[in-house]
Amino acid sequence: MNCRKYILLVVLMFSTANLYAQLNILGNVKDATTNKPLNGASIYLPELKIGTISDTNGNFSITNLKKGTYLLQITFTGYKTLSKKIDLLSNTTLNLLMESSAKELNEVIVTGVTHATELKRNPVIVATIDKAAFRENSATNLIDALKEIPGISQISTGPNISKPVIRGLGYNRIITLNNGIKQEGQQWGDEHGIEIDEYSIDRAEIIKGPGSLLYGSDGIAGVLNFLPPKPVLNGTVKTQLLTNYQSNNNLIGYSLSNAGNKNGFQWLGRFSNKYAGNYQNKYDGKVYNSGYKEYNGNLSLGITKRWGHSSLSFNSYNTTLGIVEGERDSVGNFIFEDMLGNEVSVSKNDLKGYTIGTPYQKVNHFSITSNNLFILNKGTIHTDIGFQQNRRREFEEAANPNEAALYLSLSTINYNIRYNVEKKNGWEASVGIGGMWQTNKNKGEEFLIPDYSLFDIGVFVFTQKTLDKLTLAGGLRFDNRNMHTKELYLDGNGEPIAIPDANSELKFAQFNKNYYGLSGSIGLSYQSSKNATLKFNFSNGFRAPNIAELASNGKHEGAFRYEIGNQNLKPEFSHQLDLAYLLNTEHITFEVSPFINFISHYSFLEKLKDINGNDVFPDPNDPAPAFQYTSGNATLVGGEIYIDIHPHPLDWLHIENSFSYVQATQNKQSDSTKYLPFIPAPHYRGGLKVELNNVSKSISNCYIKFNVDNYFAQNKVYSAFETETPTAAYTLFSAGVGASFKAFKKKDCINVYLSGNNLTNIGYQNHLSRLKYAPENLVSGRTGVYNMGRNISLKMIVNL
């Protein structure tokens, strides 16, 4: 009887919920100058992930909504994005006027805010890259695709591995989000890239600095949020085929996807494959064992109704990566070890094709993510729950090519729950809890870090208020992280031993560490005029030392060093001040964003020397110089400038210029230890771009561009103990052309993009390239391996 009463109560609750008014948004979209209706304008609600397009008369409707506060994003090619926040209390009719624009600064962002927000109203400094930029730019991996954004750099190990750097900070100081979940894949390693399918990303939002409180500790450099394509319109099914060829390393990539929406049930499935041979440059020729293979699959299933939306995503990322060692023979040819253990010079045939030799990595990353939004009578609840399994294996011996020397198995459960309070008197607020539980196990023959378990939990409160032209925002977050490692002894043969004896060696000591810290942010955004915005933000962040910094003890293949942890490291605390001025007029787009960041207990690797000043080699049988983690108090200062001039009447012409700079110093240090290691060089980028939205009835979205990138010399290095060496300046030229072609009644049925990088084929080394520290070529006298030479990319996207 009690069970029946319970069931009846639940039925009554849902029946009562359905009695609440089902509200509609109706509207019309027109050109602000001509007053003509705009056919095909996109009207989208980012938080609900639903939208529609305007018809031939400019009319649109979004129905069956619950009361609440919503942000509408209206976009149309060649026009400024129109953002309108509405308090939906009854059926609402909107008359929307859109202004033509050559450049966009009114974008809507979803990263680091309680609700979808206009970029210019968010006090935190955020950069974005949209679908068009991803398509137009050629890249060898996902992080490489971000290289044109001012303030964003990459630590690379050849063309296949890149790690993001934001304003000079990288590794565990950056939070990478995929499907709303913090990506966990042993990101402390130099040659550990981001395990996300490049072709699956439609847009990226980058927070510069520790201004976000929603995603936990570690993000003192910022947040990198990769977003998938928006759901297609209701009643629509779309199939897309993307293909890409790149000439330098004969890269071949393709991605096939299918997306649909039937009465609120949404799906997106994708399979991607990519493989590349050895890349080449002016000085090294083809670089042996720099090829890679990658295959990925992902499936997302979701439902959107008036109560909110829910989705379940499955992602599988799999790659095999050659590791460049860079050793050469007496005539300058690369060498490798054959199955008998002999050093053999690389032949021309060895450099052809797509064969990957030893050493190499295999990385498999699998994740399941549940993202949910529930619209309540007063406020909303967001939940993001995820499971990740990361397997990273390194194979070193040609005689046993399928036997993993290093095998790290990392399992992570992520959780984030956020309650957005109903908007009241202009105030928007959120409270939430989030963190992760993580375990790592060694399953190989070598050991770089110990087995460990980690539990992380944080609580936060965030609030925001808009007063006409002024937006105020701020919040606090408290995080606690506990880490426990297991003890490991090795016998005389390097095998794990349960009970130590007189001949055993302690590889890892057991320890239990607990770290906690308070983060905060307060800022304002002021629209001084219709086209100008001022921003101010002060934030402080907290980051606990990662497992490698605390406990690593072994040679890191591909990093050319033996790494030693330091259990005495303290948490890093960052205090950053950001200013920004944004101007977006009819003919000029201008942004300037200086910053200063004070970091206490900044940790980094320092090369070890013996009492005679010689390198230390902990393992004589596998020599690699020793580096140990240390720390100091640091100051980073710099900023970015961007200007785009599109003069009248040549509105289709863009003259773009940007400059980014960061200087990182240690407090009260001598000249050789004054500068922090591995800080990107100053970077200037200039370009000309012609955009023609409608060339003819069959050709649209046509563009042609030419760019020059000048990387200044980086002489401000951590020269003590030969930890780091200066890098010379260099200049790269690039160009691109593309267009959309109409077929089968689809305006963008066929899209073609042709681009070229390093057109003059200069030989150069980026300051953040790990291959810069490969062994010396005794024939040429050059140290390390150089970056990629000329590369021509042809990309085609077919929409069906």
Side-chain angles (χ1 to χ4, degrees):
M1 185 67 180
N2 291 335
C3 182
R4 291 180 180 178
K5 287 182 178 180
Y6 175 75
I7 294 174
L8 180 60
L9 178 61
V10 172
V11 172
L12 288 173
M13 288 173 62
F14 278 94
S15 300
T16 304
N18 287 326
L19 293 176
Y20 286 102
Q22 299 182 12
L23 304 178
N24 305 317
I25 300 176
L26 308 177
N28 182 270
V29 186
K30 294 182 179 180
D31 184 297
T33 302
T34 65
N35 209 38
K36 291 183 178 180
L38 297 178
N39 178 19
S42 171
I43 300 91
Y44 186 66
L45 280 71
E47 290 182 300
L48 291 183
K49 297 183 179 180
I50 60 174
T52 186
I53 60 173
S54 58
D55 60 21
T56 54
N57 296 315
N59 298 322
F60 70 90
S61 64
I62 301 177
T63 61
N64 198 24
L65 299 174
K66 294 181 71 173
K67 73 172 185 177
T69 300
Y70 299 100
L71 181 70
L72 264 68
Q73 180 182 15
I74 303 93
T75 58
F76 194 67
T77 303
Y79 287 78
K80 291 182 181 179
T81 294
L82 183 61
S83 301
K84 189 172 182 63
K85 183 166 287 190
I86 59 173
D87 295 318
L88 189 63
L89 303 176
S90 60
N91 290 333
T92 301
T93 301
L94 302 173
N95 294 310
L96 305 172
L97 299 177
M98 301 192 71
E99 299 178 354
S100 61
S101 174
K103 188 66 179 177
E104 182 52 64
L105 274 182
N106 296 331
E107 298 164 286
V108 171
I109 60 169
V110 297
T111 308
V113 290
T114 57
H115 297 82
T117 303
E118 287 182 81
L119 184 149
K120 63 184 179 182
R121 286 192 175 274
N122 182 27
V124 177
I125 309 303
V126 181
T128 65
I129 178 169
D130 60 14
K131 175 173 61 177
F134 273 117
R135 291 179 174 183
E136 292 175 10
N137 300 331
S138 67
T140 57
N141 59 68
L142 179 58
I143 301 304
D144 186 51
L146 308 179
K147 59 182 178 288
E148 296 183 4
I149 301 177
I152 309 301
S153 311
Q154 56 179 316
I155 297 170
S156 64
T157 309
N160 49 355
I161 302 173
S162 295
K163 300 177 67 64
V165 174
I166 301 176
R167 289 176 164 177
L169 301 176
Y171 299 93
N172 285 72
R173 299 179 180 92
I174 294 176
I175 293 175
T176 300
L177 299 176
N178 187 26
N179 290 319
I181 290 295
K182 181 181 177 184
Q183 186 88 355
E184 287 291 325
Q186 312 281 11
Q187 58 266 35
W188 43 264
D190 280 336
E191 77 287 9
H192 299 174
I194 302 297
E195 304 91 351
I196 301 175
D197 178 11
E198 174 191 354
Y199 300 139
S200 69
I201 302 304
D202 192 67
R203 174 181 169 84
E205 297 180 355
I206 302 104
I207 293 179
K208 299 179 181 180
S212 174
L213 304 174
L214 277 61
Y215 309 113
S217 61
D218 292 347
I220 66 173
V223 176
L224 189 54
N225 189 8
F226 291 109
L227 301 170
K230 298 176 183 177
V232 299
L233 299 178
N234 189 29
T236 303
V237 177
K238 290 186 177 181
T239 299
Q240 183 183 88
L241 174 65
L242 181 153
T243 61
N244 184 211
Y245 172 77
Q246 296 183 22
S247 64
N248 186 281
N249 55 357
N250 293 316
L251 180 147
I252 296 175
Y254 63 88
S255 182
L256 180 65
S257 66
N258 179 267
N261 188 339
K262 295 294 185 181
N263 299 319
F265 174 72
Q266 304 157 350
W267 71 88
L268 171 61
R270 180 183 301 273
F271 175 78
S272 301
N273 185 214
K274 185 192 296 184
Y275 49 99
N278 296 308
Y279 83 92
Q280 54 191 309
N281 61 58
K282 178 179 178 180
Y283 294 130
D284 300 306
K286 288 196 172 183
V287 178
Y288 178 70
N289 209 32
S290 60
Y292 58 98
K293 299 177 182 178
E294 181 182 314
Y295 61 94
N296 312 303
N298 53 73
L299 174 66
S300 178
L301 303 173
I303 186 169
T304 297
K305 296 295 182 179
R306 60 190 303 271
W307 49 262
H309 66 76
S310 180
S311 66
L312 188 64
S313 300
F314 305 84
N315 292 276
S316 177
Y317 176 95
N318 310 274
T319 184
T320 302
L321 308 159
I323 297 177
V324 177
E325 293 192 304
E327 296 179 335
R328 310 176 201 240
D329 60 19
S330 59
V331 295
N333 295 320
F334 290 105
I335 59 175
F336 66 95
E337 188 177 283
D338 65 11
M339 296 184 65
L340 299 176
N342 300 317
E343 288 188 348
V344 179
S345 297
V346 172
S347 67
K348 290 184 178 180
N349 286 332
D350 293 327
L351 296 171
K352 294 180 181 179
Y354 297 93
T355 301
I356 296 175
T358 54
Y360 68 94
Q361 289 185 23
K362 274 192 173 182
V363 182
N364 306 98
H365 190 96
F366 176 75
S367 66
I368 303 176
T369 306
S370 173
N371 308 104
N372 306 278
L373 167 68
F374 302 102
I375 303 174
L376 308 178
N377 292 328
K378 293 186 177 182
T380 60
I381 292 179
H382 293 251
T383 66
D384 299 303
I385 309 296
F387 169 76
Q388 302 175 69
Q389 175 71 52
N390 183 276
R391 295 187 301 157
R392 186 174 296 274
R393 291 167 287 173
E394 295 183 359
F395 303 82
E396 299 176 2
E397 296 183 7
N400 300 292
N402 297 316
E403 187 174 308
L406 184 69
Y407 188 164
L408 301 174
S409 180
L410 182 71
S411 299
T412 306
I413 296 176
N414 303 84
Y415 61 96
N416 294 293
I417 302 172
R418 182 173 88 241
Y419 173 60
N420 292 333
V421 182
E422 182 181 34
K423 183 178 179 180
K424 190 173 183 180
N425 298 326
W427 284 101
E428 298 175 86
S430 291
V431 294
I433 184 172
M436 64 180 176
W437 178 74
Q438 187 174 85
T439 60
N440 178 78
K441 293 183 178 181
N442 284 287
K443 297 183 177 181
E445 298 177 342
E446 297 180 357
F447 308 92
L448 179 59
I449 59 173
D451 291 356
Y452 73 90
S453 60
L454 178 151
F455 182 73
D456 189 76
I457 187 170
V459 294
F460 70 88
V461 58
F462 183 85
T463 187
Q464 177 174 303
K465 183 178 178 63
T466 299
L467 301 166
D468 191 20
K469 297 180 179 182
L470 178 67
T471 299
L472 302 171
L476 292 172
R477 181 184 180 103
F478 177 80
D479 283 282
N480 181 269
R481 173 170 294 179
N482 181 266
M483 182 185 297
H484 174 76
T485 66
K486 292 185 177 181
E487 185 178 68
L488 177 63
Y489 279 90
L490 302 179
D491 62 19
N493 297 318
E495 298 291 334
I497 184 172
I499 301 176
D501 56 31
N503 298 319
S504 61
E505 172 197 358
L506 178 63
K507 183 70 172 179
F508 301 114
Q510 176 183 320
F511 66 77
N512 189 81
K513 297 283 187 180
N514 193 71
Y515 302 98
Y516 58 89
L518 186 68
S519 305
S521 177
I522 185 169
L524 61 86
S525 173
Y526 177 69
Q527 292 182 258
S528 57
S529 68
K530 179 182 178 181
N531 299 315
T533 303
L534 289 167
K535 291 186 178 186
F536 166 87
N537 196 74
F538 177 75
S539 54
N540 69 281
F542 155 78
R543 185 186 77 88
N546 63 51
I547 186 64
E549 293 169 330
L550 291 170
S552 58
N553 184 17
K555 180 184 177 182
H556 206 171
E557 199 72 41
F560 311 107
R561 61 180 178 239
Y562 189 106
E563 297 181 4
I564 301 173
N566 182 352
Q567 293 186 28
N568 296 319
L569 293 177
K570 297 180 181 179
E572 293 179 351
F573 287 92
S574 168
H575 308 277
Q576 180 163 313
L577 177 64
D578 283 286
L579 299 173
Y581 176 71
L582 289 71
L583 178 68
N584 187 26
T585 69
E586 187 177 0
H587 303 299
I588 294 178
T589 301
F590 175 73
E591 301 176 51
V592 58
S593 50
F595 75 94
I596 186 167
N597 189 2
F598 303 97
I599 303 178
S600 56
H601 313 305
Y602 178 92
S603 62
F604 59 94
L605 280 168
E606 179 181 73
K607 199 173 189 180
L608 296 182
K609 295 286 186 178
D610 61 22
I611 57 175
N612 298 317
N614 300 315
D615 289 348
V616 175
F617 298 93
D619 185 0
N621 297 320
D622 191 7
F627 286 71
Q628 185 171 28
Y629 283 96
T630 185
S631 65
N633 295 327
T635 301
L636 290 85
V637 61
E640 301 84 40
I641 299 176
Y642 173 84
I643 183 168
D644 176 12
I645 302 172
H646 25 89
H648 186 74
L650 307 178
D651 297 327
W652 41 264
L653 175 64
H654 296 263
I655 306 171
E656 299 177 319
N657 293 272
S658 67
F659 179 73
S660 55
Y661 173 82
V662 58
Q663 176 177 287
T665 56
Q666 281 199 90
N667 301 341
K668 300 179 181 179
Q669 294 292 318
S670 63
D671 290 342
S672 63
T673 58
K674 177 180 179 180
Y675 298 104
L676 291 181
F678 308 114
I679 299 299
H683 175 206
Y684 164 78
R685 179 177 177 84
L688 295 174
K689 185 177 183 180
V690 174
E691 288 184 319
L692 301 173
N693 293 325
N694 294 290
V695 179
S696 67
K697 292 183 178 180
S698 301
I699 303 176
S700 60
N701 301 325
C702 184
Y703 72 90
I704 183 171
K705 62 179 182 178
F706 175 81
N707 294 100
V708 56
D709 288 272
N710 184 74
Y711 292 85
F712 293 80
Q714 180 57 290
N715 297 315
K716 297 178 179 179
V717 299
Y718 190 93
S719 59
F721 316 116
E722 299 178 342
T723 298
E724 183 186 25
T725 59
T727 303
Y730 60 92
T731 302
L732 303 177
F733 295 93
S734 61
V737 60
S740 299
F741 299 90
K742 184 177 181 180
F744 306 107
K745 298 182 180 181
K746 289 182 177 289
K747 188 176 182 180
D748 63 343
C749 181
I750 301 174
N751 305 270
V752 180
Y753 309 91
L754 178 66
S755 61
N757 290 331
N758 192 4
L759 293 175
T760 56
N761 197 35
I762 71 162
Y764 71 97
Q765 289 179 318
N766 185 279
H767 187 66
L768 299 185
S769 170
R770 299 306 307 148
L771 297 183
K772 179 173 178 277
Y773 297 92
E776 180 184 356
N777 182 342
L778 297 178
V779 176
S780 67
R782 300 186 185 95
T783 299
V785 177
Y786 282 66
N787 287 71
M788 181 178 281
R790 182 187 298 112
N791 188 29
I792 306 299
S793 170
L794 176 62
K795 188 182 299 182
M796 179 180 294
I797 299 176
V798 180
N799 295 309
L800 300 175

